[in-house]
Amino acid sequence: MEHELRAAPSGRGGTVAIAGVDEVGRGAWAGPVVVCAAVTDLSPPPALPGRGNKTIALTDSKLLAEAHRESFAELLPGWLTGHAIGAAGPGEIDEVGMTEALRRAAVRALESLPERPDVVILDGKHDFLSRPWRVRCEVKADQRSVTVAAASVLAKVHRDRLMAELDGEFPGYGFADSAGYPSPVHQKALEEHGPTPHHRLSWSYMDDLPRWRHLKKHRDPLAGEGQLSLL
């Protein structure tokens, strides 16, 4: 995919700069949504030794074992020509909604790259970036694009490490194991102790917590995106 895009003229007399972008944490109940933007010169990506003569190729982070993600995360910064992380926390997600929070996190990552990319590859069908970015959406791009695969791994490892740190601060919620996603341990802790400052209080799981339902945040649909009311 990168070779196809790079073959097109950049409009500035040079090589097309391509950024692969991927996110993690969109469906979690707690923690930020994290986006990584990654750029490579399209040299062969690193691979890990497997069993026998086989190697483990760089691919979607969800298809890699945790140990392999960690190993790739150590190798990828030396292979990439640039990468950056952007995030939007739970308060921002509650305030503006996931789509806008995701866009903001992606823009933060892209604007932190050493060079502004000419083209951005997004995983999936939905262009949550739009103008002024030139975007190409591809289903399963994290399996078809080395830059998106790299972004997928780095975003996942970054967020997992962050959630593991929060596990020490808020033990009992299973953040180190579930990374803030729904789990029986997470649900039980919420029922007993309520949400932490790292929980998304506008999400529907709050309706299932009678003791803590009064903490739920509601966006007023008549007030416009970004407005909150406490009901």
Side-chain angles (χ1 to χ4, degrees):
M1 188 183 307
E2 285 89 349
H3 285 295
E4 175 188 337
L5 291 171
R6 190 159 281 184
S10 67
R12 63 182 190 184
T15 303
V16 175
I18 302 166
V21 169
D22 206 4
E23 55 80 21
V24 64
R26 190 186 309 203
W29 289 357
V33 60
V34 171
V35 176
C36 180
V39 181
T40 176
D41 61 4
L42 291 188
S43 59
L48 302 176
R51 294 182 178 180
N53 295 323
K54 295 183 178 179
T55 59
I56 299 167
L58 176 63
T59 187
D60 174 13
S61 63
K62 296 186 291 295
L63 302 178
L64 295 169
E66 180 181 359
H68 295 153
R69 289 196 298 267
E70 291 283 348
S71 295
F72 272 121
E74 296 301 318
L75 296 173
L76 287 171
W79 171 65
L80 294 167
T81 58
H83 73 284
I85 296 286
E92 190 169 12
I93 293 170
D94 287 335
E95 180 184 357
V96 301
M98 178 51 74
T99 300
E100 174 61 15
L102 183 59
R103 187 194 68 80
R104 292 183 181 186
V107 169
R108 288 164 187 157
L110 288 165
E111 290 184 342
S112 296
L113 290 172
E115 179 183 15
R116 184 182 178 92
D118 299 299
V119 183
V120 177
I121 303 176
L122 292 182
D123 183 29
K125 296 180 179 179
H126 176 56
D127 176 8
F128 55 80
L129 269 174
S130 193
R131 295 181 180 179
W133 306 95
R134 179 185 170 197
V135 175
R136 174 163 172 172
C137 296
E138 289 286 341
V139 175
K140 294 187 178 180
D142 45 14
Q143 298 178 42
R144 302 176 56 201
S145 159
V146 290
T147 50
V148 176
S152 171
V153 169
L154 291 173
K156 171 69 172 167
V157 171
H158 177 91
R159 189 177 187 278
D160 283 355
R161 290 174 179 174
L162 174 63
M163 297 307 295
E165 291 177 4
L166 292 182
D167 187 82
E169 186 178 354
F170 297 95
Y173 289 84
F175 288 159
D177 296 321
S178 67
Y181 282 82
S183 71
V185 170
H186 193 173
Q187 178 72 25
K188 183 178 179 181
L190 280 167
E191 291 171 353
E192 294 180 357
H193 306 294
T196 72
H198 301 282
H199 277 88
R200 303 170 187 181
L201 300 181
S202 61
W203 285 45
S204 62
Y205 72 84
M206 291 291 294
D207 296 328
D208 299 323
L209 303 173
R211 290 176 59 192
W212 312 103
R213 196 177 296 153
H214 64 286
L215 298 175
K216 183 173 181 180
K217 292 183 178 180
H218 301 262
R219 280 191 301 278
D220 184 351
L222 299 180
E225 188 176 53
Q227 301 297 317
L228 287 172
S229 62
L230 290 174
L231 302 180

